[in-house]
Structure formats: C-alpha cells, structure tokens
C-alpha cells in the first residue's frame, strides 16, 4: 500500500509540472521576455527588459510591419518596429511589477507575446529583541523577535538553539512575516544554571542577517503556569481570620497576591515567599465582595512572573454594625391631649452597616416616669406613633444585622419651632442648576454661638399636608449658613423647605417654598362654588393638581367682567397660601351678570384660565345665589 501511495504522489507531481510547462509554452509561444540582471532586484536598481519574436511569429513575415509594445501592468511604456524591443526601466516600487510584451499588426487586435514579473525588495534587517520563554515546567521553548522593515520578498527565518554538550536544535519558518517559532522541546530543571544560546537568521535573494545571540538559563526563561484551584476560608465566619489557598507548580518560590473590592479599580498588593499555597489576609472589610488573583515566580531575581490566575470572587462575612443612625422626626397635634410623632432615619453606609440590615429597633420612653413605654421592631426607615402631649419623651433607634446591633441614636422629642429667637432669618431658596436648590439663611437673633447645629428639611409640597410624603433632611455645622440640597429633588416640583436651629433642648425654625426648575402652570384653579354673603360673594376653588403646578405657585388671580362685554376684565391678585381655597369679592354691582375665572402664577409666568362661572349678585335680600351651569373657558 505504501508503494501505491508513493506511485500516486509521483504521478500527481508529474501532472502539475507538465501543466506549468504547458502554461509557459502557451503564454510565450510567439516570443520571449528576458530580464537582466535578475527578476529580483534591490530597491532603486535599474533593470533591462528585452522582448523578441520567435521565427515566423511576426506580422506577414515582414519585420517592418511588426510593432512590439511593452506594457507595465496596463500602461504602455515603450514600442518598437521589428523583431525585438529593448527597454531600460528605473524607479520601480517595492513589491511585484508585471511587464507584458504585445504584438500589434495592421487591422488586427494586439497579440500577447510574453510577460515577466520583477520583484523589488530589500535585504532583511537584523532581527531585534530576540527573547525565549517556556510556559510552565512541562512547556516547550518558544522564541519571538522583531523582523524590522518588510523586505517585500520571500524571506526565510531559521531559529537555532545551542545548549550544553554541543546540543543544537533548529527550526525554520518560510513565512515572510514570521516572528515566532516553537522548538517543541522542553528544558528540565536538572541543571538550572546551564547556559543556552538562541539566534535567528533571516535570508532572502538579496542577502541575510542574524540577530545578536540571546543567552539564558532554565530559570531565566521558564515562566510558571498561573496558580489554580484558588479558594478562601473564613475561620468561625470572621473576616479577621481569613486564609487564601491555591495550587502551584512544584518549583515556585515566590507569589504575589492582589485583591480589591469588586467596585474598586485599585488593587492591594502582597508579596510572599515560600507560601506553599496559603496566605492569611488581615485587612479585609466585612460584608464586601472581593476579587482575588495570584501570580507565581521560580526565583528571587531571575525569570519572570506567571500570568495572573483566574479571578476568585468571594464575599466576606458580616460583622456587627458600627456608626449611629441619623434620626429626625416630625410632630403633629391631633387634639388637645394627643400628638403624632413620626420618626425617620437614614440607612447606614455600607462600611457602617457591615452586613444586611435585618430590622431596626425603636424604643420610646417617657423620661419623667423613667420606664420604657413602647418598643417596636420594623424593617422600614420610618415609624409613627401617637403619644400624650404631656410629659418629656425620648426615643432611641438602632440597626441590627445577623451579628448584632449598632449603638442607639437617642433624641429628645421637643417642639422644634418653639423658640422664636432661635429661628434662622432671611431664609432663601434658589435654583442651582438641574435638580439642585441652594438654601441660604442668616443666624438667629439670639446669640448665634448658642446654635449647636442647623437642620435643613425638605419635602414635596402637597395641599392638605399629606404626612405620607417622604421627608428629606441634612445636618449643617453652626458656622455654615447655606446648604445645597439635591437628594430626591425633581424639576417642576415645589418643595416646602424648613431650616431649624437647634440649641440643647430648644429649637427655632423658618420655612420657605423652593423649586429647582419652573414654568407657567398647565392649568388654572377650578371654581367649584360661589355664594353671596351680605352684598359680597365668596369664591371657592379646587387646588391645581401638583403635577400641573410646574413649580411653586406665587399668586392666584380672580378675573371678572360683565357678560357679553368687550371691556377688559377686572382682577384681584391673591398671594398663594397652601391651605387657602376661597376668597371674598365685594366690588360687584347688584343685578348684573358677570363671568368669572381664575389663573395661577409661578415665577415663570401665568397659567391659562380655568373654568368660567356666571353669577348675578341679587342684593342683600337674597340668601343665596342661583348658579348658572359652568361653561368651557374661552381661548
């Protein structure tokens, strides 16, 4: 069977050779093209190209009728009448240029005679930066180098390695762009200090060049494989007793570890010697996901580090919370004997919580009696209860995770606005870019040094004082008289802002309305009723929906004019107050039918007018006003 395969191979080679010879004969059966000095030339060289006809291959056997034309690719560069043509060509570019000789006869198409390719290039430059590496103790030796500039010619590279006892290995690469070869041999650690020398030689038709020799030992070129099987253990589920384990190749002497929280870009680095696949880490933070990687090296001074291992991601155990909750509260009178206390607190930061907060413990205590009145466990960040208006009350709030609780935050419940002399002065609220409000104030009239801290509180303004609206606050030291509020601030929403000055068990406050962005309201108030009272009328309306107010309202306007009159309407402008939804008008004439409507204004402009109502003031003898049906507002 081997003989049969060999016979088939020889036959196949013969067929290929015959086809190539036939193609040459067919292409150049009328004549020849010769190139001197060579088909391969150095960049900048001159080349002579000759084209000649074979006997009896011209036009009608008359040489003067033969017109030979030389083409460079598809561009005519020379011609001559006769049996031959000679041309000297210079300035050829790098790469391959095709020349074709054609015969032109009278009243006939051009006939291709023959052609030739000329290869222009340069001799190879000296290969640079030859370096060799063996990946892992069981890997093979591979070398890389920089070829230098492109030769534009077929170039062959030979890599040679010499070792102890006159051992020599050689590998060839016939790829013009070759810059890497693997010997396929493995260096062993029996003689770690034995020298090996590598050299690479580049050869083409124009010359050759060899690199400088690169000499190295086993320890110089063997790069360990990255560590594997990385795992971490926490003794007694404690972050302070953490050990990292891994596996390495047998000859590894050094390791370097790097680790970081998963949300960080900065690594912590640790170098260890003779770790034998384990190392204790003492500075990890609780309840934090970390990324770990390890690299290895065989020698203190020689060789290179392995690639980093695959990442291990692991979360550290929880620890008892640190820090204290930021707690704030609101009071609301219910009746003469009861008041509602609403407590709010902010989440601990991740570094303070040190775990998943499971619940909060709230303790409410009447200080005069000295005993705890109410204890509550809640998973929310707010809690509301009702207590008597008498007595001195205090609360304590703490956060708990699986390992324990934070220190409780204790506050005394007091009337935060009771001390008028502590009220901050000249409070203002101005837009400060997108979704930011700058609140400024002046210290209270009372000795400013008595102020221990300021608290700035804000919440969305809702007519009717909805207590379920989320409350936001921040604390400011006594030397600050401004605060930029940005948390939960939305455009085109009006916020009720309060500034509290706290001093011991006393507090004073001032309030203002503010928005980060505003425009004219989308609609005007809807008049829902008009009643007559002793020669005047009382107009009642529904508040504009919050989503249509488009910022803080400044004024309402009530317009009226006689029905079917073309005169300008009269108006009454009313400062906006949150709780107001009615207003008297006493300048109307009896027994005249009027049309009335309302608008609302923000600092950006006036709304379109709301619904229209017709009414007629009957006089003092009429107890109530007959009301005409509503009409749609005119444009």
């Amino acid at each position: 069977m081997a003989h049969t395969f060999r016979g088939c191979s020889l036959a196949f080679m013969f067929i290929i050779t015959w086809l190539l010879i036939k193609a040459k004969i067919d292409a150049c059966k009328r004549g020849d093209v010769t190139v001197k000095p060579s088909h391969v030339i150095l960049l900048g060289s001159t080349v002579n190209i000759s084209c000649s006809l074979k006997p009896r291959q011209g036009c009608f056997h008359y040489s003067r009728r033969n017109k030979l034309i030389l083409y460079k690719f598809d561009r005519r560069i020379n011609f001559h009448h006769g049996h031959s043509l000679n041309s000297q060509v210079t300035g050829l570019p790098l790469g391959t240029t095709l020349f074709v000789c054609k015969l032109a006869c009278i009243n006939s198409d051009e006939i291709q005679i023959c052609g030739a390719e000329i290869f222009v290039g340069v001799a190879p430059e000296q290969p640079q930066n030859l370096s060799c590496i063996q990946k892992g103790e069981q890997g093979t030796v591979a070398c890389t180098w920089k070829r230098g500039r492109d030769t534009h010619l077929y170039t062959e590279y030979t890599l040679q390695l010499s070792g102890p006892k006159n051992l020599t290995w050689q590998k060839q690469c016939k790829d013009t762009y070759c810059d890497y070869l693997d010997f396929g041999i493995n260096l062993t650690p029996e003689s770690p200090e034995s020298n090996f020398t590598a050299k690479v030689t580049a050869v083409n038709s124009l010359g050759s060049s060899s690199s400088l020799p690169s000499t190295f030992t086993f320890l110089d070129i063997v790069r360990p494989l990255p560590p594997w099987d990385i795992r971490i253990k926490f003794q007694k589920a404690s972050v302070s007793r953490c050990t990292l384990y891994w596996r390495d190749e047998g000859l590894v002497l050094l390791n370097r570890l790097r680790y970081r929280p998963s949300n960080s870009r900065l690594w912590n680095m640790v170098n260890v010697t003779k770790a034998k696949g384990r190392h204790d880490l003492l500075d990890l933070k609780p309840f934090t996901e970390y990324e770990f990687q390890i690299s290895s090296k065989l020698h203190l001074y020689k060789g290179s580090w392995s690639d980093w291992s695959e990442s291990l991601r692991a979360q550290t155990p929880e620890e008892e919370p640190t820090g204290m909750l930021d707690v704030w509260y609101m009071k609301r009178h219910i009746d003469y004997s009861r008041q509602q206390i609403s407590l709010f607190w902010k989440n601990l930061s991740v570094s303070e919580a040190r775990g998943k907060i499971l619940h909060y413990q709230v303790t409410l205590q009447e200080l005069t009696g000295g005993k705890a009145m109410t204890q509550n466990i809640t998973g929310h960040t707010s809690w509301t209860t009702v207590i008597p208006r008498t007595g001195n009350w205090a609360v304590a709030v703490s956060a708990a995770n699986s390992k324990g609780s934070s220190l409780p935050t204790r506050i005394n419940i007091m009337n935060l606005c009771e001390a008028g002399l502590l009220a901050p002065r000249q409070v203002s609220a101005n837009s400060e870019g997108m979704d930011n409000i700058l609140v400024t104030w002046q210290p209270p009239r009372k000795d400013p040094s008595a102020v221990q801290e300021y608290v700035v509180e804000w919440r969305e303004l809702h007519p009717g004082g909805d207590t379920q609206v989320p409350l936001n606050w921040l604390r400011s030291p006594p030397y600050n008289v401004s605060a930029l509020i940005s948390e939960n601030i939305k455009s085109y929403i009006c916020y009720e802002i309060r500034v509290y000055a706290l001093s011991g068990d006393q507090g004073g406050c001032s309030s203002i309305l503010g928005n980060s962005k505003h425009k004219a309201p989308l609609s005007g108030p809807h008049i829902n009723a008009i009643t007559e009272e002793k020669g005047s009328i009382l107009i009642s309306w529904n508040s504009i929906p919050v989503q249509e107010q488009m910022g803080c309202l400044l004024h309402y306007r009530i317009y009226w004019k006689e029905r079917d009159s073309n005169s300008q309407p009269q108006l009454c402008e009313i400062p906006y107050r949150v709780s107001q939804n009615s207003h008297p008008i006493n300048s109307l004439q009896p027994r005249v039918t009027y049309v009335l409507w309302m608008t609302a204004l923000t600092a950006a402009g006036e709304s379109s007018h709301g619904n229209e109502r017709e009414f007629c003031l009957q006089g003092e003898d009429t107890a109530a006003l007959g009301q005409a049906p509503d009409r749609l507002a005119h444009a």
Side-chain angles (χ1 to χ4, degrees), residues 20-34 50-55 57 99-101 111-117:
L20 291 173
I21 293 172
K22 185 177 186 303
K24 174 69 175 177
I25 292 172
D26 290 344
C28 297
K29 65 181 181 180
R30 291 179 175 272
D32 295 298
V33 172
T34 59
S50 300
C51 175
S52 61
L53 291 171
K54 292 179 180 179
Q57 295 299 324
F99 292 89
V100 176
C101 182
I111 302 170
Q112 182 168 312
I113 302 301
C114 195
E117 288 181 326

PDB file of all heavy atoms in Angstrom, residues 20-34 50-55 57 99-101 111-117:
ATOM      1  N   LEU A  20       2.289  23.251 -15.651  1.00  0.00           N
ATOM      2  CA  LEU A  20       3.026  24.512 -15.536  1.00  0.00           C
ATOM      3  C   LEU A  20       3.859  24.784 -16.779  1.00  0.00           C
ATOM      4  O   LEU A  20       3.903  25.904 -17.288  1.00  0.00           O
ATOM      5  CB  LEU A  20       3.924  24.488 -14.294  1.00  0.00           C
ATOM      6  CG  LEU A  20       3.197  24.515 -12.945  1.00  0.00           C
ATOM      7  CD1 LEU A  20       4.198  24.323 -11.801  1.00  0.00           C
ATOM      8  CD2 LEU A  20       2.463  25.847 -12.770  1.00  0.00           C
ATOM      9  N   ILE A  21       4.526  23.737 -17.319  1.00  0.00           N
ATOM     10  CA  ILE A  21       5.333  23.893 -18.543  1.00  0.00           C
ATOM     11  C   ILE A  21       4.437  24.268 -19.711  1.00  0.00           C
ATOM     12  O   ILE A  21       4.742  25.156 -20.506  1.00  0.00           O
ATOM     13  CB  ILE A  21       6.121  22.602 -18.841  1.00  0.00           C
ATOM     14  CG1 ILE A  21       7.182  22.374 -17.742  1.00  0.00           C
ATOM     15  CG2 ILE A  21       6.775  22.661 -20.219  1.00  0.00           C
ATOM     16  CD1 ILE A  21       7.879  21.029 -17.838  1.00  0.00           C
ATOM     17  N   LYS A  22       3.264  23.607 -19.810  1.00  0.00           N
ATOM     18  CA  LYS A  22       2.341  23.889 -20.910  1.00  0.00           C
ATOM     19  C   LYS A  22       1.841  25.336 -20.828  1.00  0.00           C
ATOM     20  O   LYS A  22       1.716  26.028 -21.844  1.00  0.00           O
ATOM     21  CB  LYS A  22       1.167  22.917 -20.871  1.00  0.00           C
ATOM     22  CG  LYS A  22       0.198  23.069 -22.068  1.00  0.00           C
ATOM     23  CD  LYS A  22      -0.893  22.034 -22.006  1.00  0.00           C
ATOM     24  CE  LYS A  22      -1.750  22.098 -23.278  1.00  0.00           C
ATOM     25  NZ  LYS A  22      -2.328  23.403 -23.522  1.00  0.00           N
ATOM     26  N   ALA A  23       1.537  25.807 -19.572  1.00  0.00           N
ATOM     27  CA  ALA A  23       1.076  27.183 -19.414  1.00  0.00           C
ATOM     28  C   ALA A  23       2.146  28.150 -19.877  1.00  0.00           C
ATOM     29  O   ALA A  23       1.860  29.165 -20.526  1.00  0.00           O
ATOM     30  CB  ALA A  23       0.716  27.445 -17.952  1.00  0.00           C
ATOM     31  N   LYS A  24       3.411  27.878 -19.558  1.00  0.00           N
ATOM     32  CA  LYS A  24       4.516  28.728 -20.005  1.00  0.00           C
ATOM     33  C   LYS A  24       4.620  28.717 -21.526  1.00  0.00           C
ATOM     34  O   LYS A  24       4.802  29.742 -22.177  1.00  0.00           O
ATOM     35  CB  LYS A  24       5.827  28.243 -19.340  1.00  0.00           C
ATOM     36  CG  LYS A  24       7.072  28.949 -19.829  1.00  0.00           C
ATOM     37  CD  LYS A  24       7.122  30.395 -19.389  1.00  0.00           C
ATOM     38  CE  LYS A  24       8.433  31.037 -19.783  1.00  0.00           C
ATOM     39  NZ  LYS A  24       8.458  32.480 -19.419  1.00  0.00           N
ATOM     40  N   ILE A  25       4.500  27.509 -22.137  1.00  0.00           N
ATOM     41  CA  ILE A  25       4.601  27.391 -23.603  1.00  0.00           C
ATOM     42  C   ILE A  25       3.467  28.149 -24.268  1.00  0.00           C
ATOM     43  O   ILE A  25       3.658  28.905 -25.210  1.00  0.00           O
ATOM     44  CB  ILE A  25       4.596  25.909 -24.017  1.00  0.00           C
ATOM     45  CG1 ILE A  25       5.890  25.233 -23.535  1.00  0.00           C
ATOM     46  CG2 ILE A  25       4.440  25.761 -25.523  1.00  0.00           C
ATOM     47  CD1 ILE A  25       5.912  23.733 -23.719  1.00  0.00           C
ATOM     48  N   ASP A  26       2.230  27.978 -23.743  1.00  0.00           N
ATOM     49  CA  ASP A  26       1.079  28.651 -24.340  1.00  0.00           C
ATOM     50  C   ASP A  26       1.212  30.162 -24.214  1.00  0.00           C
ATOM     51  O   ASP A  26       0.844  30.909 -25.130  1.00  0.00           O
ATOM     52  CB  ASP A  26      -0.213  28.182 -23.656  1.00  0.00           C
ATOM     53  CG  ASP A  26      -0.530  26.737 -24.029  1.00  0.00           C
ATOM     54  OD1 ASP A  26       0.055  26.255 -25.007  1.00  0.00           O
ATOM     55  OD2 ASP A  26      -1.352  26.106 -23.325  1.00  0.00           O
ATOM     56  N   ALA A  27       1.708  30.641 -23.054  1.00  0.00           N
ATOM     57  CA  ALA A  27       1.789  32.081 -22.833  1.00  0.00           C
ATOM     58  C   ALA A  27       2.879  32.726 -23.682  1.00  0.00           C
ATOM     59  O   ALA A  27       2.765  33.882 -24.078  1.00  0.00           O
ATOM     60  CB  ALA A  27       2.032  32.362 -21.354  1.00  0.00           C
ATOM     61  N   CYS A  28       3.963  32.028 -23.950  1.00  0.00           N
ATOM     62  CA  CYS A  28       5.107  32.627 -24.646  1.00  0.00           C
ATOM     63  C   CYS A  28       5.451  31.859 -25.929  1.00  0.00           C
ATOM     64  O   CYS A  28       6.636  31.765 -26.291  1.00  0.00           O
ATOM     65  CB  CYS A  28       6.322  32.668 -23.717  1.00  0.00           C
ATOM     66  SG  CYS A  28       6.096  33.695 -22.260  1.00  0.00           S
ATOM     67  N   LYS A  29       4.471  31.316 -26.647  1.00  0.00           N
ATOM     68  CA  LYS A  29       4.777  30.531 -27.844  1.00  0.00           C
ATOM     69  C   LYS A  29       5.229  31.407 -29.023  1.00  0.00           C
ATOM     70  O   LYS A  29       5.850  30.935 -29.957  1.00  0.00           O
ATOM     71  CB  LYS A  29       3.575  29.686 -28.234  1.00  0.00           C
ATOM     72  CG  LYS A  29       2.354  30.495 -28.673  1.00  0.00           C
ATOM     73  CD  LYS A  29       1.205  29.564 -29.011  1.00  0.00           C
ATOM     74  CE  LYS A  29      -0.031  30.366 -29.469  1.00  0.00           C
ATOM     75  NZ  LYS A  29      -1.152  29.442 -29.792  1.00  0.00           N
ATOM     76  N   ARG A  30       4.932  32.720 -28.993  1.00  0.00           N
ATOM     77  CA  ARG A  30       5.320  33.595 -30.093  1.00  0.00           C
ATOM     78  C   ARG A  30       6.664  34.291 -29.862  1.00  0.00           C
ATOM     79  O   ARG A  30       7.252  34.838 -30.802  1.00  0.00           O
ATOM     80  CB  ARG A  30       4.254  34.658 -30.322  1.00  0.00           C
ATOM     81  CG  ARG A  30       2.948  34.095 -30.876  1.00  0.00           C
ATOM     82  CD  ARG A  30       1.929  35.202 -31.058  1.00  0.00           C
ATOM     83  NE  ARG A  30       0.710  34.725 -31.684  1.00  0.00           N
ATOM     84  CZ  ARG A  30       0.509  34.663 -33.009  1.00  0.00           C
ATOM     85  NH1 ARG A  30       1.456  35.065 -33.833  1.00  0.00           N
ATOM     86  NH2 ARG A  30      -0.630  34.215 -33.497  1.00  0.00           N
ATOM     87  N   GLY A  31       7.115  34.332 -28.583  1.00  0.00           N
ATOM     88  CA  GLY A  31       8.359  35.033 -28.305  1.00  0.00           C
ATOM     89  C   GLY A  31       8.738  34.944 -26.841  1.00  0.00           C
ATOM     90  O   GLY A  31       8.116  34.196 -26.062  1.00  0.00           O
ATOM     91  N   ASP A  32       9.765  35.711 -26.468  1.00  0.00           N
ATOM     92  CA  ASP A  32      10.289  35.651 -25.103  1.00  0.00           C
ATOM     93  C   ASP A  32      10.509  37.066 -24.558  1.00  0.00           C
ATOM     94  O   ASP A  32      10.737  38.013 -25.314  1.00  0.00           O
ATOM     95  CB  ASP A  32      11.624  34.902 -25.064  1.00  0.00           C
ATOM     96  CG  ASP A  32      11.464  33.438 -25.438  1.00  0.00           C
ATOM     97  OD1 ASP A  32      10.739  32.729 -24.718  1.00  0.00           O
ATOM     98  OD2 ASP A  32      12.061  33.023 -26.456  1.00  0.00           O
ATOM     99  N   VAL A  33      10.435  37.138 -23.202  1.00  0.00           N
ATOM    100  CA  VAL A  33      10.810  38.350 -22.478  1.00  0.00           C
ATOM    101  C   VAL A  33      11.926  37.973 -21.518  1.00  0.00           C
ATOM    102  O   VAL A  33      11.767  37.045 -20.713  1.00  0.00           O
ATOM    103  CB  VAL A  33       9.621  38.960 -21.724  1.00  0.00           C
ATOM    104  CG1 VAL A  33      10.096  40.093 -20.824  1.00  0.00           C
ATOM    105  CG2 VAL A  33       8.572  39.479 -22.695  1.00  0.00           C
ATOM    106  N   THR A  34      13.035  38.670 -21.594  1.00  0.00           N
ATOM    107  CA  THR A  34      14.153  38.418 -20.688  1.00  0.00           C
ATOM    108  C   THR A  34      14.394  39.645 -19.823  1.00  0.00           C
ATOM    109  O   THR A  34      14.149  40.786 -20.243  1.00  0.00           O
ATOM    110  CB  THR A  34      15.438  38.089 -21.469  1.00  0.00           C
ATOM    111  OG1 THR A  34      15.747  39.187 -22.332  1.00  0.00           O
ATOM    112  CG2 THR A  34      15.260  36.824 -22.301  1.00  0.00           C
ATOM    113  N   SER A  50      13.954  42.859 -22.305  1.00  0.00           N
ATOM    114  CA  SER A  50      14.013  42.622 -23.755  1.00  0.00           C
ATOM    115  C   SER A  50      12.867  41.732 -24.165  1.00  0.00           C
ATOM    116  O   SER A  50      12.535  40.759 -23.473  1.00  0.00           O
ATOM    117  CB  SER A  50      15.343  41.965 -24.141  1.00  0.00           C
ATOM    118  OG  SER A  50      16.438  42.792 -23.789  1.00  0.00           O
ATOM    119  N   CYS A  51      12.270  42.067 -25.332  1.00  0.00           N
ATOM    120  CA  CYS A  51      11.180  41.260 -25.884  1.00  0.00           C
ATOM    121  C   CYS A  51      11.577  40.886 -27.316  1.00  0.00           C
ATOM    122  O   CYS A  51      11.944  41.760 -28.123  1.00  0.00           O
ATOM    123  CB  CYS A  51       9.878  42.038 -25.876  1.00  0.00           C
ATOM    124  SG  CYS A  51       8.502  41.163 -26.679  1.00  0.00           S
ATOM    125  N   SER A  52      11.508  39.630 -27.677  1.00  0.00           N
ATOM    126  CA  SER A  52      11.890  39.192 -29.024  1.00  0.00           C
ATOM    127  C   SER A  52      10.881  38.181 -29.548  1.00  0.00           C
ATOM    128  O   SER A  52      10.339  37.375 -28.781  1.00  0.00           O
ATOM    129  CB  SER A  52      13.296  38.597 -29.006  1.00  0.00           C
ATOM    130  OG  SER A  52      13.350  37.472 -28.153  1.00  0.00           O
ATOM    131  N   LEU A  53      10.654  38.243 -30.858  1.00  0.00           N
ATOM    132  CA  LEU A  53       9.732  37.308 -31.530  1.00  0.00           C
ATOM    133  C   LEU A  53      10.490  36.060 -31.953  1.00  0.00           C
ATOM    134  O   LEU A  53      11.668  36.114 -32.358  1.00  0.00           O
ATOM    135  CB  LEU A  53       9.113  37.964 -32.753  1.00  0.00           C
ATOM    136  CG  LEU A  53       8.115  39.099 -32.502  1.00  0.00           C
ATOM    137  CD1 LEU A  53       7.758  39.784 -33.815  1.00  0.00           C
ATOM    138  CD2 LEU A  53       6.861  38.558 -31.836  1.00  0.00           C
ATOM    139  N   LYS A  54       9.819  34.928 -31.915  1.00  0.00           N
ATOM    140  CA  LYS A  54      10.377  33.695 -32.447  1.00  0.00           C
ATOM    141  C   LYS A  54      10.223  33.718 -33.977  1.00  0.00           C
ATOM    142  O   LYS A  54       9.392  34.459 -34.512  1.00  0.00           O
ATOM    143  CB  LYS A  54       9.662  32.496 -31.842  1.00  0.00           C
ATOM    144  CG  LYS A  54       9.944  32.335 -30.351  1.00  0.00           C
ATOM    145  CD  LYS A  54       9.199  31.135 -29.786  1.00  0.00           C
ATOM    146  CE  LYS A  54       9.509  30.989 -28.290  1.00  0.00           C
ATOM    147  NZ  LYS A  54       8.779  29.842 -27.697  1.00  0.00           N
ATOM    148  N   PRO A  55      10.994  32.914 -34.673  1.00  0.00           N
ATOM    149  CA  PRO A  55      10.906  32.891 -36.137  1.00  0.00           C
ATOM    150  C   PRO A  55       9.474  32.613 -36.620  1.00  0.00           C
ATOM    151  O   PRO A  55       8.756  31.796 -36.039  1.00  0.00           O
ATOM    152  CB  PRO A  55      11.860  31.757 -36.542  1.00  0.00           C
ATOM    153  CG  PRO A  55      12.838  31.684 -35.402  1.00  0.00           C
ATOM    154  CD  PRO A  55      12.054  32.019 -34.165  1.00  0.00           C
ATOM    155  N   GLN A  57       6.816  34.330 -36.398  1.00  0.00           N
ATOM    156  CA  GLN A  57       5.715  34.676 -35.487  1.00  0.00           C
ATOM    157  C   GLN A  57       5.320  36.139 -35.607  1.00  0.00           C
ATOM    158  O   GLN A  57       4.514  36.630 -34.823  1.00  0.00           O
ATOM    159  CB  GLN A  57       6.121  34.378 -34.030  1.00  0.00           C
ATOM    160  CG  GLN A  57       6.340  32.920 -33.744  1.00  0.00           C
ATOM    161  CD  GLN A  57       5.086  32.087 -33.971  1.00  0.00           C
ATOM    162  OE1 GLN A  57       3.964  32.538 -33.702  1.00  0.00           O
ATOM    163  NE2 GLN A  57       5.269  30.883 -34.509  1.00  0.00           N
ATOM    164  N   PHE A  99       5.310  43.082 -16.284  1.00  0.00           N
ATOM    165  CA  PHE A  99       5.558  43.630 -17.619  1.00  0.00           C
ATOM    166  C   PHE A  99       5.047  42.630 -18.650  1.00  0.00           C
ATOM    167  O   PHE A  99       5.288  41.410 -18.528  1.00  0.00           O
ATOM    168  CB  PHE A  99       7.048  43.892 -17.839  1.00  0.00           C
ATOM    169  CG  PHE A  99       7.593  45.012 -16.996  1.00  0.00           C
ATOM    170  CD1 PHE A  99       8.100  44.766 -15.724  1.00  0.00           C
ATOM    171  CD2 PHE A  99       7.583  46.322 -17.462  1.00  0.00           C
ATOM    172  CE1 PHE A  99       8.593  45.789 -14.939  1.00  0.00           C
ATOM    173  CE2 PHE A  99       8.077  47.358 -16.675  1.00  0.00           C
ATOM    174  CZ  PHE A  99       8.572  47.096 -15.410  1.00  0.00           C
ATOM    175  N   VAL A 100       4.375  43.141 -19.684  1.00  0.00           N
ATOM    176  CA  VAL A 100       3.819  42.291 -20.741  1.00  0.00           C
ATOM    177  C   VAL A 100       4.212  42.878 -22.087  1.00  0.00           C
ATOM    178  O   VAL A 100       4.079  44.094 -22.322  1.00  0.00           O
ATOM    179  CB  VAL A 100       2.285  42.190 -20.636  1.00  0.00           C
ATOM    180  CG1 VAL A 100       1.720  41.372 -21.795  1.00  0.00           C
ATOM    181  CG2 VAL A 100       1.879  41.570 -19.304  1.00  0.00           C
ATOM    182  N   CYS A 101       4.693  41.995 -22.990  1.00  0.00           N
ATOM    183  CA  CYS A 101       5.045  42.397 -24.351  1.00  0.00           C
ATOM    184  C   CYS A 101       3.943  41.931 -25.304  1.00  0.00           C
ATOM    185  O   CYS A 101       3.524  40.758 -25.260  1.00  0.00           O
ATOM    186  CB  CYS A 101       6.385  41.773 -24.752  1.00  0.00           C
ATOM    187  SG  CYS A 101       6.949  42.247 -26.416  1.00  0.00           S
ATOM    188  N   ILE A 111      -1.658  41.171 -29.914  1.00  0.00           N
ATOM    189  CA  ILE A 111      -1.472  39.761 -29.532  1.00  0.00           C
ATOM    190  C   ILE A 111      -0.412  39.727 -28.429  1.00  0.00           C
ATOM    191  O   ILE A 111       0.667  40.326 -28.549  1.00  0.00           O
ATOM    192  CB  ILE A 111      -0.998  38.937 -30.736  1.00  0.00           C
ATOM    193  CG1 ILE A 111      -2.013  39.039 -31.888  1.00  0.00           C
ATOM    194  CG2 ILE A 111      -0.798  37.480 -30.330  1.00  0.00           C
ATOM    195  CD1 ILE A 111      -1.497  38.465 -33.177  1.00  0.00           C
ATOM    196  N   GLN A 112      -0.734  39.015 -27.322  1.00  0.00           N
ATOM    197  CA  GLN A 112       0.229  38.896 -26.225  1.00  0.00           C
ATOM    198  C   GLN A 112       1.364  37.966 -26.621  1.00  0.00           C
ATOM    199  O   GLN A 112       1.128  36.834 -27.078  1.00  0.00           O
ATOM    200  CB  GLN A 112      -0.452  38.399 -24.957  1.00  0.00           C
ATOM    201  CG  GLN A 112       0.493  38.300 -23.777  1.00  0.00           C
ATOM    202  CD  GLN A 112      -0.245  38.087 -22.460  1.00  0.00           C
ATOM    203  OE1 GLN A 112      -1.210  38.798 -22.184  1.00  0.00           O
ATOM    204  NE2 GLN A 112       0.197  37.118 -21.705  1.00  0.00           N
ATOM    205  N   ILE A 113       2.618  38.450 -26.464  1.00  0.00           N
ATOM    206  CA  ILE A 113       3.795  37.648 -26.801  1.00  0.00           C
ATOM    207  C   ILE A 113       4.293  36.904 -25.574  1.00  0.00           C
ATOM    208  O   ILE A 113       4.367  35.674 -25.541  1.00  0.00           O
ATOM    209  CB  ILE A 113       4.911  38.543 -27.371  1.00  0.00           C
ATOM    210  CG1 ILE A 113       4.405  39.282 -28.609  1.00  0.00           C
ATOM    211  CG2 ILE A 113       6.146  37.706 -27.718  1.00  0.00           C
ATOM    212  CD1 ILE A 113       3.927  38.383 -29.719  1.00  0.00           C
ATOM    213  N   CYS A 114       4.594  37.637 -24.513  1.00  0.00           N
ATOM    214  CA  CYS A 114       5.130  37.026 -23.288  1.00  0.00           C
ATOM    215  C   CYS A 114       5.151  38.090 -22.186  1.00  0.00           C
ATOM    216  O   CYS A 114       4.908  39.279 -22.452  1.00  0.00           O
ATOM    217  CB  CYS A 114       6.531  36.479 -23.538  1.00  0.00           C
ATOM    218  SG  CYS A 114       7.126  35.337 -22.249  1.00  0.00           S
ATOM    219  N   GLY A 115       5.426  37.707 -20.978  1.00  0.00           N
ATOM    220  CA  GLY A 115       5.486  38.633 -19.860  1.00  0.00           C
ATOM    221  C   GLY A 115       6.490  38.208 -18.819  1.00  0.00           C
ATOM    222  O   GLY A 115       7.027  37.091 -18.866  1.00  0.00           O
ATOM    223  N   ALA A 116       6.737  39.090 -17.869  1.00  0.00           N
ATOM    224  CA  ALA A 116       7.677  38.780 -16.789  1.00  0.00           C
ATOM    225  C   ALA A 116       7.322  39.608 -15.552  1.00  0.00           C
ATOM    226  O   ALA A 116       6.866  40.746 -15.669  1.00  0.00           O
ATOM    227  CB  ALA A 116       9.104  39.084 -17.225  1.00  0.00           C
ATOM    228  N   GLU A 117       7.525  39.018 -14.393  1.00  0.00           N
ATOM    229  CA  GLU A 117       7.334  39.718 -13.118  1.00  0.00           C
ATOM    230  C   GLU A 117       8.692  40.106 -12.564  1.00  0.00           C
ATOM    231  O   GLU A 117       9.637  39.307 -12.607  1.00  0.00           O
ATOM    232  CB  GLU A 117       6.599  38.838 -12.111  1.00  0.00           C
ATOM    233  CG  GLU A 117       5.133  38.640 -12.422  1.00  0.00           C
ATOM    234  CD  GLU A 117       4.450  37.778 -11.369  1.00  0.00           C
ATOM    235  OE1 GLU A 117       5.116  36.869 -10.832  1.00  0.00           O
ATOM    236  OE2 GLU A 117       3.258  38.011 -11.078  1.00  0.00           O
TER     237      GLU A 117
END
